[in-house]
Amino acid sequence: MTQGGPHANPGRLLPAFQIIVSRSHSAASPISSRPGSPLRGRVQVPGDKSISHRALIFGLLARGETRIEGLLEAEDVLNTAKAAEAFGAGVTRNGEGSWRVVGAGIGGLAQPQDVLDFGNAGTGSRLMMGVAGSHPITSTFDGDASLRKRPMRRILDPLVRMGTTVVEEAEGGRVPLTLRGPRETIPITYETPAPSAQIKSAVLLAGLNSPGLTTVVERQATRDHTERLLTHFGAIVTSEQDGAGRRIALRGQPDLRGVEVVVPADPSSAAFPLVAALITPGSDIVIENVMMNPLRTGLITTLLEMGAAIEFLNQRDIGGETVADIRASYGPLTGVEVPAERAPAMIDEYPVLAVAAAFASGETVMRGLEELRVKESDRLAAVADGLAVNGVRAEVAGDDLTVFGSGGSVPGGGLVATHLDHRIAMAFLVMGLASRDPVTADDSAMIATSFPSFVPLMRQLGAELA
Ligand code: S3P
């Protein structure tokens, strides 16, 4: 990636890119949060991670220039930007969050010269597998110790049906793996085996280089950013609900054109200051510009059911999504039952919901958490362990998690094992702002994969993190 123009300063590294380089060589850096003053003020969390990955990837596949404003400049997304460049896009950073992608076009991808290192990023790697696996090029995908544990068969299985060859893979269908794609993919109808926007998106992206109609059927609706944004780039995508679930059909080989993309603030990042304000006595904060896509707002629905004081101010449309400023203030919370059907709309928010539940009165039962086991860590186990070391009673039964709320008095004092998982680190740091004793996360480095400004932003609100 270059700054100032596609061919300017080719040797110059972005400051953010240097973060990626340094993490892989640095030792763990623990961080603690402690109870202190109430949280006050207005903040804006960074751009949505799902949309940021997609804006870069669709920019690669479009003809002409895509301009992105509000891109999340975090490690996961920067790895996608590097991969887009390796596949032949011209990727330029013009200023903070302001990026330009000159596309290679569907069918026009270049052969990457090196292994594509996606770091910690499941979304970037899986979506790019759909792209690379549908082109007559050979590419090798790899990542960090967390990504190397994550299942990729769920992506490879449909891709093989579409004509991709898996040249090599690590045991159990994991990275490092090498794909070779056909000249054009075979259009298929695919029923996703798990509610996963990443599986859906990989298949649809592979379908872009197909002469026919590619259909994905999902029993439970998952985030629809691929469908929305591909339409914005000029693809024809239809979505219908029937007895089998949601049926998404994409017409292959569209004329994707570079467009302007404005990325709203990430509701999955907003979740951390939001819950922090709800559990820290005296707090009253506003988080600006948060995307309110209904397939992402399961946490907010749940917190409202728990009695949280949350208001939505200044609702408006930005870049095809509704956004709002969210006002959250401290108050009592009551345990609820969270139905399994809600899981896709809040899949990344269970760690921080578990923290809110620890401060509530009564039990919170979260059902159908199977997919949590295959995130950046086994999040079900990591959450249960993190609660236990902080004196909170919780039980895992099958795929359900029950947290026995303390009615506001959480002991804290634990050292939380974060297992290379940014959301485990941030969730338990939120706990430490309102628990009796400080909470320590064994490593803070991973926070940079999705929310590099987390610590300064929380400090700006008055949080004590060191
Ligand atoms: C994402 C989909 C979800 C989510 C991830 C982002 C996406 O993963 O957990 O953080 O952008 O498509 P799954 O598709 O595995 O549920």
Side-chain angles (χ1 to χ4, degrees):
M1 284 167 286
T2 54
Q3 285 178 299
H7 304 294
N9 300 330
R12 186 162 150 206
L13 298 177
L14 285 173
F17 176 69
Q18 289 164 343
I19 298 172
I20 303 176
V21 176
S22 61
R23 177 166 69 81
S24 49
H25 298 291
S26 62
S29 48
I31 180 168
S32 301
S33 57
R34 60 190 66 249
S37 40
L39 304 181
R40 294 289 171 102
R42 292 180 80 90
V43 284
Q44 184 161 345
V45 301
D48 185 67
K49 184 146 76 80
S50 293
I51 296 183
S52 295
H53 282 299
R54 285 162 174 81
L56 291 165
I57 295 171
F58 303 172
L60 159 71
L61 293 170
R63 289 197 297 131
E65 182 179 307
T66 292
R67 285 185 176 274
I68 310 169
E69 292 301 329
L71 187 89
L72 168 65
E73 294 180 339
E75 287 180 20
D76 278 10
V77 174
L78 295 172
N79 282 324
T80 292
K82 280 197 296 167
E85 196 171 55
F87 285 125
V91 181
T92 317
R93 181 183 193 258
N94 294 327
E96 200 186 329
S98 176
W99 290 63
R100 188 172 87 114
V101 181
V102 178
I106 297 167
L109 258 54
Q111 166 81 50
Q113 297 305 305
D114 291 311
V115 171
L116 303 163
D117 183 354
F118 282 90
N120 195 248
T123 306
S125 58
R126 288 173 169 149
L127 269 55
M128 279 297 202
M129 285 177 198
V131 171
S134 56
H135 284 76
I137 52 173
T138 301
S139 38
T140 299
F141 289 71
D142 202 357
D144 69 6
S146 157
L147 197 67
R148 282 181 170 207
K149 287 189 195 151
R150 298 184 71 182
M152 296 300 171
R153 268 273 141 234
R154 50 174 58 199
I155 304 298
L156 303 181
D157 286 346
L159 289 184
V160 166
R161 282 182 50 192
M162 298 177 86
T164 307
T165 303
V166 181
V167 180
E168 253 184 322
E169 63 189 275
E171 206 191 326
R174 296 179 204 276
V175 297
L177 62 80
T178 301
L179 300 181
R180 173 143 196 99
R183 202 173 54 78
E184 287 179 338
T185 48
I186 303 160
I188 61 167
T189 294
Y190 192 69
E191 192 171 318
T192 54
S196 161
Q198 294 175 358
I199 303 177
K200 168 176 66 180
S201 301
V203 173
L204 293 174
L205 284 170
L208 283 173
N209 195 24
S210 157
L213 197 68
T214 297
T215 305
V216 177
V217 182
E218 48 180 16
R219 260 165 285 165
Q220 284 176 275
T222 63
R223 65 188 70 193
D224 59 358
H225 307 304
T226 294
E227 299 91 304
R228 285 176 186 239
L229 203 55
L230 271 180
T231 306
H232 183 51
F233 275 80
I236 298 174
V237 187
T238 58
S239 183
E240 283 166 21
Q241 192 71 33
D242 64 20
R246 208 153 146 264
R247 184 173 270 278
I248 301 120
L250 168 96
R251 186 151 298 288
Q253 296 176 339
D255 186 18
L256 292 192
R257 293 294 180 94
V259 289
E260 190 159 323
V261 179
V262 181
V263 185
D266 194 328
S268 298
S269 296
F272 300 105
L274 170 63
V275 169
L278 299 179
I279 62 172
T280 306
S283 299
D284 187 0
I285 68 166
V286 174
I287 311 164
E288 294 174 345
N289 245 357
V290 182
M291 178 168 60
M292 300 299 292
N293 180 313
L295 292 165
R296 298 288 300 279
T297 48
L299 174 72
I300 290 178
T301 306
T302 304
L303 291 171
L304 288 170
E305 288 174 0
M306 294 173 83
I310 300 176
E311 280 177 66
F312 307 99
L313 313 171
N314 193 16
Q315 291 209 30
R316 61 215 182 269
D317 275 0
I318 292 187
E321 294 283 0
T322 303
V323 303
D325 300 339
I326 297 181
R327 179 173 178 196
S329 39
Y330 170 74
L333 299 172
T334 310
V336 292
E337 179 163 333
V338 188
E341 307 80 74
R342 198 177 291 160
M346 56 177 297
I347 193 66
D348 292 333
E349 282 66 77
Y350 284 103
V352 80
L353 174 64
V355 169
F359 287 86
S361 32
E363 294 171 24
T364 296
V365 185
M366 303 167 214
R367 301 214 182 272
L369 305 188
E370 192 182 354
E371 279 294 299
L372 283 199
R373 299 186 197 276
V374 290
K375 294 297 175 190
E376 286 82 332
S377 66
D378 175 346
R379 276 190 187 155
L380 197 46
V383 166
D385 292 350
L387 292 170
V389 295
N390 286 294
V392 179
R393 196 154 79 83
E395 260 172 32
V396 177
D399 298 328
D400 299 343
L401 171 67
T402 302
V403 177
F404 299 89
S406 63
S409 169
V410 169
L415 172 63
V416 176
T418 54
H419 302 285
L420 295 177
D421 190 329
H422 54 131
R423 296 198 209 282
I424 296 297
M426 289 186 278
F428 284 98
L429 289 171
V430 165
M431 172 181 269
L433 300 177
S435 52
R436 284 203 299 274
D437 291 319
V439 172
T440 301
D442 67 355
D443 191 14
S444 61
M446 304 312 299
I447 292 172
T449 63
S450 70
F451 194 169
S453 57
F454 171 77
V455 171
L457 180 142
M458 294 301 292
R459 283 188 185 141
Q460 187 191 325
L461 289 171
E464 290 188 30
L465 286 156

